Amino acid sequence: MASHSRRRPLRERRTALVAVAVAAVGVLLSLVMALRPDSEPNAVRAAAEPAAGNQSSAPAATPERKAEPSPKQKPKPKPSKASPTPAATTPSARPSPTGAPRSSPRPASGTAPLAGRIQPQVTYKGVATHYDAADGNGACLYGPSPDLMVAAMNHTDYETSKACGAHILVRAANGASVTVRVTNECPLPCAPGQLDLSKEAFAKLAGLSAGRIPITWSLLSPSTSDTVSIRYKTGSSSHWCGIQALGHRNPLARLEVRTSSGWSRLTRTEYNYFLSPSGTGCGGPLRLTDIYGEQLTVDGIAIRPDAVRPTRAQFARH
């Protein structure tokens, strides 16, 4: 037992020496590898490669951001010349064939840029009633009519006497028709579209016993050999005057007087006179404009109250 116990320490000492030798060799190899410039371990190299990749991609992104202009550098869009309404549905938005801007184009035949509620080439629906027109005079103050084919226009479409003198073609459901001239106003409750015809005119469409019939009507520009006449209202002078035009083929839109500074438009009344409350232009040249925009200049009409003075002018037919 004593000898066995003596052999065990010797074996242990040998084992310890071997372990120390192996550790020394490992340390020596580590030192040698660390001193070599190309001896970077794969683990270290693998960890460094993703970092290098991130560094190379960052500079590539920076030029892209610089290439995009800042909000101050971005060019501002030019304002559109087109109207807000799509050009496909707005004929006026289409450019002219020459591309040049149009200036004050003359109205095409049939168009009426100065018309009010009553437009040419439009058919209106309503009803016809009748009244005793007597001599044909009415709210338009034209005086007795040469015939009794006259009508009173409903208050809405009368439009402060703008309908006065208009020639209207009236048709009934049975196909009968009659042409009348507006000389009067049919006050409320006459509805828009309604015409109050003279008994003589109504009889051309139906029996008077019918009382009220459905109709359609439209504006006419009739042929006529008459010329426009001018009349100054009773009481007119160089200090105040009312001026009226009679016998015009088309509805009258404006009446102007000449002043030292040019043409001055007079205000129209419900009784179909144009007033100059201070006398400006009274007795001087006049300029008449119909709903189609045609203008007639009349000279030499002296102030003679309540006298009808014919001219040599007339509006064109449409």
Side-chain angles (χ1 to χ4, degrees), residues 127-151:
V127 296
T129 51
H130 59 78
Y131 75 108
D132 185 359
D135 61 1
N137 194 16
C140 297
L141 296 186
Y142 285 134
S145 177
D147 62 57
L148 292 180
M149 295 297 106
V150 295

Side-chain angles (χ1 to χ4, degrees), residues 96-178:
S96 60
T98 59
R102 300 178 180 178
S103 58
S104 303
R106 292 187 62 187
S109 178
T111 62
L114 300 181
R117 291 180 56 84
I118 303 175
Q119 298 280 338
Q121 300 182 351
V122 175
T123 299
Y124 298 89
K125 292 182 179 181
V127 296
T129 51
H130 59 78
Y131 75 108
D132 185 359
D135 61 1
N137 194 16
C140 297
L141 296 186
Y142 285 134
S145 177
D147 62 57
L148 292 180
M149 295 297 106
V150 295
M153 181 64 70
N154 69 82
H155 171 76
T156 303
D157 294 326
Y158 182 77
E159 202 173 3
T160 316
S161 78
K162 198 166 188 176
C164 285
H167 296 266
I168 303 294
L169 174 62
V170 187
R171 295 184 182 276
N174 61 10
S177 64
V178 63

Side-chain angles (χ1 to χ4, degrees), residues 273-295:
Y273 273 87
F274 294 81
L275 298 186
S276 176
S278 63
T280 302
C282 295
L286 307 176
R287 185 166 72 177
L288 313 178
T289 307
D290 70 0
I291 62 172
Y292 297 95
E294 183 182 357
Q295 295 180 332

Side-chain angles (χ1 to χ4, degrees), residues 33-229:
M33 293 297 294
L35 293 176
R36 293 180 59 186
D38 57 345
S39 61
E40 183 176 22
N42 290 338
V44 176
R45 186 179 296 115
E49 284 177 357
N54 291 339
Q55 291 175 357
S56 63
S57 61
T62 302
E64 292 179 2
R65 288 194 296 270
K66 289 181 180 180
E68 180 181 357
S70 64
K72 294 183 180 180
Q73 295 172 336
K74 289 182 178 180
K76 296 181 179 180
K78 296 181 179 179
S80 174
K81 295 182 180 180
S83 61
T85 307
T89 59
T90 308
S92 60
R94 297 175 183 173
S96 60
T98 59
R102 300 178 180 178
S103 58
S104 303
R106 292 187 62 187
S109 178
T111 62
L114 300 181
R117 291 180 56 84
I118 303 175
Q119 298 280 338
Q121 300 182 351
V122 175
T123 299
Y124 298 89
K125 292 182 179 181
V127 296
T129 51
H130 59 78
Y131 75 108
D132 185 359
D135 61 1
N137 194 16
C140 297
L141 296 186
Y142 285 134
S145 177
D147 62 57
L148 292 180
M149 295 297 106
V150 295
M153 181 64 70
N154 69 82
H155 171 76
T156 303
D157 294 326
Y158 182 77
E159 202 173 3
T160 316
S161 78
K162 198 166 188 176
C164 285
H167 296 266
I168 303 294
L169 174 62
V170 187
R171 295 184 182 276
N174 61 10
S177 64
V178 63
T179 298
V180 296
R181 182 169 59 99
V182 177
T183 63
N184 207 349
E185 176 187 8
C186 183
L188 296 173
C190 277
Q194 182 174 349
L195 291 177
D196 202 20
L197 305 177
S198 66
K199 291 181 178 180
E200 292 77 6
F202 190 95
K204 300 286 186 181
L205 304 177
L208 295 180
S209 60
R212 181 185 182 95
I213 60 173
I215 58 166
T216 59
W217 55 273
S218 56
L219 181 66
L220 291 180
S221 179
S223 61
T224 179
S225 58
D226 295 338
T227 59
V228 177
S229 296

